[in-house]
Amino acid sequence: MKIFDAASTAAALPYSELVPALVKVAQQLREGEINAPERMVVEIDPASVLLCMPAVAADIGMTKLITVHANNAQYQLPAIQGEVVVFDAASGRRLALLHGPTVTARRTAAVSLLGIEALLPVKPKSALLIGTGVQAIAHADGLIDYFGVHEFWVSARDLQKTQAFCDALQLRHPQITVKPLAAAALASDVPPVDVMIALTTSRSAVIPVNIAANTLAIGVGAFKPDMVEFPAELLHSRTVVVDCLASAKHEAGDLLQAKIDWDKVRELPDVLAHGFVQQPLLPVYKTVGQAAWDLAAARVAIASFAD
């Protein structure tokens, strides 16, 4: 069994290979060729949970095990820890052990990249990231590596942390321009960007209502019913596309609190299969994640060391 740490897991999951792998998995999901039940959540204590996300296809299977301990700062440990175990479907032979948080970060960013490719009629050149956490880093890397995005704005509540994030991102990618933006300024001064991506755990909307008609807004961070990144008015004014409809119906707090009509929501695998008719207002895209996306990442990783 090949064991990957965080760095080698990231190196084994280039976005140029992750996105096509997701396209294949999306097709197999539609055709019933992947068994990926909804994730199991087991409480450890009031501030901690164990998450179990299995998926099985004809070639491989995998299980992602993640623990989330909200109070881990007191132990100088990350809140999210975990691994992805990959096995051969025919024999059960273990193939790889991947670094779970890195798999999650990169496949989540790749799901956003795939949505952009499917829903945005032009190749993006500019982006606004709302949030400065791990997912913001992964999404910035993905937008730069996959699309060549070169102009960024970054917004978060703490302007000092936002500036530090911008400085670090500039050092990481010297070819880009990146500017901090105070969260309060978004309400009245929205930069003209191709893509706006929210990557927070906010309980109130962080994406402004008055985004341009040709801006694709993506909500990534809100993954519980009490979390919200999209304002209800924006959701009701545009077509809503989700990466996984079954999960969104009980995890996407934005959509649940806005009382979205689920019959009108499009699912990404269906969009990939049948296309999306462009409208005067671009859709909004909500991702919640699912184990099949991790299986796509597992395929890419094991291919990196296969003969």
Side-chain angles (χ1 to χ4, degrees), residues 41-50 68-72 203 224 226:
V41 181
V42 181
E43 182 175 317
I44 300 172
D45 60 47
S48 312
V49 294
L50 166 67
V68 183
H69 286 73
N71 298 325
N72 260 8
R203 263 69 179 179
K224 294 181 179 179
D226 63 339

Side-chain angles (χ1 to χ4, degrees), residues 71-292:
N71 298 325
N72 260 8
Q74 62 184 316
Y75 305 116
Q76 288 77 54
L77 290 171
I80 299 174
Q81 301 172 83
E83 49 281 319
V84 175
V85 181
V86 188
F87 61 90
D88 175 67
S91 67
R93 179 172 60 92
R94 269 45 179 175
L95 301 174
L97 182 70
L98 306 172
H99 186 260
T102 302
V103 170
T104 299
R106 293 184 75 85
R107 66 84 156 143
T108 302
V111 171
S112 293
L113 299 177
L114 180 55
I116 293 169
E117 199 165 60
L119 301 170
L120 191 67
V122 298
K123 183 178 178 180
K125 297 179 180 178
S126 59
L128 168 63
L129 305 179
I130 304 175
T132 57
V134 171
Q135 282 293 348
I137 297 170
H139 276 72
D141 287 346
L143 288 164
I144 294 164
D145 294 348
Y146 193 74
F147 289 119
V149 172
H150 56 81
E151 189 174 18
F152 285 86
W153 281 264
V154 180
S155 179
R157 287 176 297 182
D158 188 321
L159 194 56
Q160 186 174 0
K161 287 184 179 179
T162 306
Q163 183 63 63
F165 179 91
C166 291
D167 293 342
L169 188 60
Q170 186 75 73
L171 286 173
R172 190 179 179 97
H173 300 282
Q175 75 276 23
I176 69 169
T177 60
V178 54
K179 304 171 186 176
L181 183 65
L186 275 182
S188 57
D189 187 18
V190 183
V193 293
D194 297 317
V195 180
M196 182 181 299
I197 309 177
L199 307 137
T200 75
T201 55
S202 179
R203 263 69 179 179
S204 58
V206 295
I207 297 173
V209 172
N210 58 326
I211 63 172
N214 61 346
T215 293
L216 177 65
I218 304 174
V220 176
F223 62 95
K224 294 181 179 179
D226 63 339
M227 294 179 179
V228 173
E229 292 181 312
F230 283 109
E233 183 179 342
L234 180 62
L235 292 173
H236 284 291
S237 68
R238 303 196 180 198
T239 300
V240 177
V241 179
V242 298
D243 67 326
C244 177
L245 186 58
S247 296
K249 286 183 176 181
H250 62 84
E251 292 183 7
D254 320 76
L255 279 56
L256 292 167
Q257 294 189 39
K259 295 181 171 56
I260 289 296
D261 182 352
W262 294 106
D263 291 335
K264 296 181 180 179
V265 174
R266 297 284 305 276
E267 191 172 36
L268 183 62
D270 183 63
V271 169
L272 295 173
H274 300 295
F276 186 84
V277 178
Q278 292 299 327
Q279 302 167 359
L281 296 175
L282 284 181
V284 295
Y285 179 41
K286 172 63 185 172
T287 73
V288 289
Q290 64 147 293

